[in-house]
Amino acid sequence: MVNGALYLVAIGLGAAFLLGILPDRRELSYKITLTSLSLMALIAASYVWSFAQNGVLPEQIYTAGSRPPFAINLRVGMAEAVLSLLISLSGLFSALYMRDSLLKQGRRAMAVLLVFVMALCGIVFTRDMFNLFVFSELSVISTGGLVLLSHDSRALGAGFKYLMVSQLLSILLLIGIIFAYHATGTLNIDGMAEARLNTLVGGSLSFFLMFVVIVAELKPFPANGWGLDIYESAHPAFSALFSAASGAAMLFAADKLLLIGGTQWLGIATAIGLFTFIGSNIFALVQENDRRLLGYSSVAQLGLILAVIGQRDLLGDHYHYIAGGILLAHAVSKAGFFWLSGFIEERNLGAWASLRGHSPLIFAFVTFIALLTGLPPFPGFYAKWDLLMMLASEGRFWVLGLILLGALIEAAYLFRWFGYIIKRDIEDEVKPSLLSHPFKVDVVFSAVIAAWSLAYIWGAISQHGNLLHSIPLLFALGFVLIDTLPVKIKNSIAIAGMILWFIYQYPSYDALQVIFSSIILLGGALILLAGYHEKGSRPGFYPAAMLMFAGLIMLIVAQGSFDFFAAWETLTVGSYFLILRGKKSEPHALSYIVFSLGGAFLILAGFAIAAQGTVNFQLKALADVASPYAAWVFLLLAIGFMTKTAAVGVHIWLPGAHAEAETDVSPMVSGILLKAGLFGLFVLLMNMGKQQLYGVELSHVLLWIGAISALLGNLMAIFQEDAKRLLAYSSIGQMGYAVFGMAMMNQLGWLMALMFVINHFIYKSLLFLSIGGVAKRTGTREMYRMGGLITLMPLSFIAVLIGIIAVSGVPPLSGFGGRWIFYNAIMTTEYRLPMVLIFLSGPIAFLYLFRLIHTIFLGQLKDEFRQIREAPFWILLPQMVFVAALLIFAVVPGLVLRRVDAYLAPFFASQSGGLNWEGLTISSDFGYWSPVSIMIIIAAIFASLFAWLVFVNRKAQKVKQFNIAFSAERPYRPETTHFAWNFFAPYRKALGFLTQPFVTRFWESLTNFLHGGAEFSRRFYTGNGQTYAIHLLGFVVAIYLLWVGMTGGRL
Amino acid sequence: MTRRFFVVLLLLGLIAIFANLLFNYAMDSELNQTARYYAKHTATDIGAANIVTAIIVTYRGLDTLGEVTVLFLTASIIGLVLARSKNKAQADAQPTQRSNQHKTRPFPSGELLTTGSDLLVPLILLLGAYVFINGHLTPGGGFQGGAILASAALLLLLTNPSRHFSHQLISKVESTSGLIFIVLGILGIFFAGGFLDNRLLPTGTLGSIFSAGIIPVIYSFIGLKVGAEFTSMMINLAETEKKQEKNK
Amino acid sequence: MSWVALTTGFILILIGLYGALTNRNILRIIVSFSIANTGVNLIIVAVGYMASRTAPILDKTVAPTEALERIIDPLPQALVLTAIVIGVGVTALMLTYAFKLYEVKGTLDISSYKELKW
C-alpha cells in the first residue's frame, strides 16, 4: 500500500485526538482504540505480505512534497514491515489484556497507548535523525504515562527514575545531533552515512554521543537499574509491550545509527551487547521476583541482539534472518511470560506452581521457554545455528563462547523456574476469575500461536529444511492434542506408531542404524507396554516420551550436522520433561538439563568450528576437517557426547535423575537415552579417527576416562542402599566400559561396544523394570528394608537373577560373550594400566549385583511385606520378553553380531585381529567361544545340581521363619537376622576414599560462586533514581574512554 | 560525600567531551547544503517569508506533528494522573465545602491586580493571536502564540486561583485542532505533493497574509492547541492546590 | 560570538547536571534539568550562527534573491523550537510525578523511593 506508513501514523494519532472530542463513553473509546490498533496492524501485515510475496524493493515515502534531506522521509522495507507488525500486534493484544485498567482510567489512557504504539512504529520507519529523537521522546513520555496504570504504587517511583534518566539521555542526544548536523550539513541518516561522519572534524565525537545514547536506551548492563524497576512494577501487559515493542524499535534505531558510524563501531556494539547478555543473565540467576527476573532476561536478550547487530559485517545476507529470529523469539516469549504473570497473585517464582491445574497454560509456558532458549523447532534455534556457524568461520571464537555461556545460564534459571512450577506446593489456586477474563487467556494463546507460526516460517525459509516437516516430531506434538485421552488409547497409539515407523524405515537402514533403531523403536515400544498398568490419563507423559523418541530416531538418521544437533536437543528436552515427572526429581532434573545443554552447546561449538562456514555441513565431512581445528573439534564433540553417557567428571546428574524417575521412565532413560551419547561417539570416532592435541593422543585420554568411569561407577554402586541409585551408578560404570571399548580403536573393541549397547539395553531395562515393580509393591527403594521376597515375587526374582548373570559376565549368558570379545580386544593393544582398572571393575561390579539378589530377594521376609503381591502384569510382561531375549542371544549371538562385524570391517581393514564366524562357534586369534556348548554344559550342571537338591530335600520339613535359635536366642523381628544395611562396610574402609564427592563439590562450588557473585553484585542497583542517572553518566564516560583508548579519539 | 566526588569526576569526563567538541568547532562561512536549499526555494515553493516557519510546518512537518503530540500526551497524562487525585479528594470532601469552592478564597486579590488583569488579558490574547496568525511573515508562530495565550490564562489564574475553567472546552479545542492538523496532512497526500504539503491552498504573494498555502491555517490551529494544552496543564496543577486547601 | 554562546551553553549543562545528580529534593532536580535543557537549547541555536548575517526572514531587510548570502542557517532554529517544547512537556510531567510522589509518601527526598531495587 502506497504511503501506508503515513496512514499508520495518522490513524494512531487521529484516533488519539478523536478520543478527546467524543463524549466520555468508555466502551466506545475502547472500541475505537481497538479498531485503530487493528487497522495499524493490518497495514503492517499488508506490507509484510507484499514483501514476502513479490519481493519488491523497500518503499520510500516522502513528505511535504520535497525530497530528503530537505524534508523528512520514511522507508519501509521487509525489516521495518515485520517490526511494525510486531509493535502494532503487541499493542493490540496488550490493549485487549489491559481492558479493565483502560476502562477504569478512561479515554486519556487509551490515547496514551495509541500514541505509544504509533511512536514506536515511527522510530522504525523514519530515516531522519531528529525525527528519531522526537519519536523516541514520544515513546519515553508515553511510557512515563502508561507506567501509572499499574496497581502497584511503587510504579510511581519507577516512572520517575525512568524520566530522570531519559532527561539526561535526551540532553546528550541533542548535543550529538546538532554537532553531527554541523559536520555533515544534513539530518538525514542516509545522508550522514554518505557523508561519512566519522571522517569529518568533530564528527566522530558527535556520532559517539548519538550512539551511546541509543545504546543506553537499550538498558545495557550495568547502567540499567531504571528500566528494571519498570518491568517489576508496571502492569504486566505494559511490561509485555515495553519488552517486546520498545526493545525492538530501539534495536532497529541502533541498527540504523550504526549505518552512519561505519565498521569501527561494530566492535564496541558487540562488546557492550555481550557484556550485557552475560551480566544480566547472571544477575537473573538470583532473582526471586518473577517480573524482575523477566526484566533482567529482557535486558539480556536485547544485549544479545545488539551483539548480533555488531556482527553485521560478518553476517551479510543472513543478518535479518538471524537478528530477526532472535528478536521475534524474544518478543513473543517475553510478551507471553508477562501476560501469564498477570494470572499469578504473588510475585515470587514459587507461586507460579498454581499454574499446575491448568495444563493449557503449562503448555503455553513450555512453548515460551523453548522459544526463548532457542530450542528446536523455534526460530531462535535456526538463528543461533546460523550465527554460530558464521562466527566460527571467521574465527571469532570468543564471541561464540560468550554467547553460548550466556545462553546456558539463561536456560538454567528458566528451567529452574519450570521445575518450581511442576514441583512446588501450590499455595493458592489461580484465581477463578481467570475464567471470567477470557480475553487474557486468549491473548496468551495468541502468543502461543504466534510462536508456533514463527517456528514454521523460520523453518520454511531456512537453508536447512523445516524441522516441523519431520514426521516423528509431528507425531510427538500430536500427543499434546490428545493428552486428555485415557492411557490405554494413547499407549496403543504410541506403540503402534513406533513399530510402524520401524517397519517403514527398516529397508533404508545400514547395520549400525538397525541396531540403534531397533533398540529405540522396538525396545521403546516394549518398555511402553509397562505403561498400561497406569490408570487415568497420565497428562504430559506421552508428549514428553514421544518427543524423546522422536529426537532419538531423528538422531540415528541424521546426515547433516544441523539435523543431528536438532535431534540431539529434541531428545534432551523430551527426556528432561520425562525425568521431571518423578516425585523428588526437581533438583536432579535441573542438573540434568543444565549438563545436557552444556554438552549440547559444546557439540554445537564443535560443529561450528568444523564447518568453517560450509552451509549444510555433513557428518561425513568431519573426516576432512583441517589440522589445527580437528583436534579441538574432536575434543569438544567428545566432551559433549560424554555428558550424555555420564563419563566421570560430568556424571553427577545421572544417579539422581535415573533414581528419582518413574518406574517405566528409568528403563527408558538408562537403557535407551544413554545410547545416544554412544551413538555420537561412534559417529565421531568413525569419521575422525585418532586425533592429537598438543601431542596428547586424544583417544588415549578417552580410554582413561572410560576406565576411570568404569571403576568409579561400579565402586560407588557398591555403597548404595537405594536400589535404583545402585543401578544408576552401575550404568555409569557400564558406559565407561563402552567408551573404553570404542576408544581402543580396533575392530574387536568396537564390536564389543556395539554388542554392549544391545546387552546393556536389555539387562538394564530388565533390572530397572523389576526393581521398579518391587519398589511399587513394597513402597520403598531401600534394599535393606526388603528381604526374603523370593517367595512372594518369584517372577521378579527370576528376572533379576537372569539380569544379574548377564551383567556380571558369568557364562552362559551374553555378558560372558561380551567379556570374551573385550579381553580379546585388549590383548591386541598395549594399554596396560587402563586394562588393569577395567579388570578390577569387573569383580567390583559383581559385589553390587550380588546385593541386588541377596538383600532384596533372599534373607528374611520383613513383617510389613508379608501381604504383598507379585508386580503388576504389565510391568512383568516386558521383563519376561527381555529374559527370553537374553537367553536367545546367549545361544546365538551371531544373529546380529555377524552383520555388525561385517559392517565394521571396512573401518579397520588395515588392522589384524577379528573374529571368524564359523557356524555356531566364534574364534579369534586368542581362542574360541562356543555359546551353544557353554549353554549346554551350564544347563547340564544346573539341572543335575537342581535334581540332586530336589532329591535330597524331598523329605524336608517346612519350618516357620523364626523356628530357629540364633546365638542362644530366638529372634522375633526379621531385621535382626538379615544383615543388609551398610553391607560392604569393610570395603568402604578400604576403598571408600575413591568415592569422595570431588566432582560434585567442584560443580557445586562453581554454581555457588556464580550465585554469590550475582548476589553480591546486584546490590549495585540501590534503588535510588539519582544513582541510576549517575550510573548512566558513568557508562557514557566509560565508553568514551574505551573508545579513545582503542582508537585514539580519531577514526 | 563520595556521591559528590563521583559526580564531579564524571562531569570532568563530560567536560573533556565538551571541550573536544568546542575546540573542533569552526563556524561555517557558507550555508551548508540543506540551508542553501531552504534559502533558495522557500520563497518560490512554499511562499512563506519566515523560512523557519516553512521548515517547521512543511519541510519538517512530521517533527511538528510529533511535537504537538508531545504536548497532547503530557496534557493527557497530567489530566489522567491528577484526575485520580481529584476524584479521591472530592470523595473525601464535605458536600458543603464543595459548594463553597467558588466563593471563598483565603486571600482575595487586590484591586490593582484585578483591574490590571482585566485590562491586560484581552491584549495578551490579541497579541497571541497576532503572533500565530502571522507566523509565516514575522518571527513567531503557533507555539509562541500558543504560549502567549496560555500566559493570559496564567494571569487569570494568578489573579483568581479558584476561577473555574471548563475542562470540556479546552479538551475539545485541543482534540479538534489536532484532528484538523492530521486531516490537512492527509489531504496533502491526495491533493498536493505529499503529507503535510502546504500547497493545498495557493501560495499567493510573498509577504501578504494570505500566502504560503495552508501554513497560516495550520499554525493557527497549532496556536489554539498549544494554548489549550498549556492552559489545561496549569489548571490541573492549580486545582491540586485547591484540593489541598480543602483537605486542611 | 558563537564561542561565547557555546561555552555558556556547556557551562549551563554542567551546572544543571551537577544539580540534578547531587540534590536530593525532587523539585530541585527538576529545576536543574530545566537549566540543563536551557543550556542545550542555547547550544543548538549557537551552532547555526554565522558571522555578520541576519535572521532568516524574507522581508524588507532581506530580499529573496539575496537570501543565500544574508541569512543564517534556519534549521537549528526550527530544531530548537521542537526541543524547547519537548523539554517543557517532560518538565510538566515530572512535576506531576513529584506531586503524586509527595501525595503517596509525604516526602520529596529521592533517596526515600527505594522500594524497588536489586
Side-chain angles (χ1 to χ4, degrees), chain A residues 704-719:
Chain A
W704 271 100
I705 293 179
I708 299 179
S709 302
L711 181 66
L712 287 181
N714 285 332
L715 203 55
M716 289 191 274
I718 301 179
F719 303 124

Side-chain angles (χ1 to χ4, degrees), chain A residues 925-956:
Chain A
D925 293 341
F926 298 101
Y928 68 93
W929 168 34
S930 170
V932 178
S933 328
I934 296 176
M935 179 67 87
I936 294 175
I937 296 175
I938 304 266
I941 298 176
F942 179 75
S944 40
L945 280 175
F946 192 67
W948 180 78
L949 192 65
V950 168
F951 177 71
V952 162
N953 286 331
R954 69 185 188 286
K955 285 208 224 108

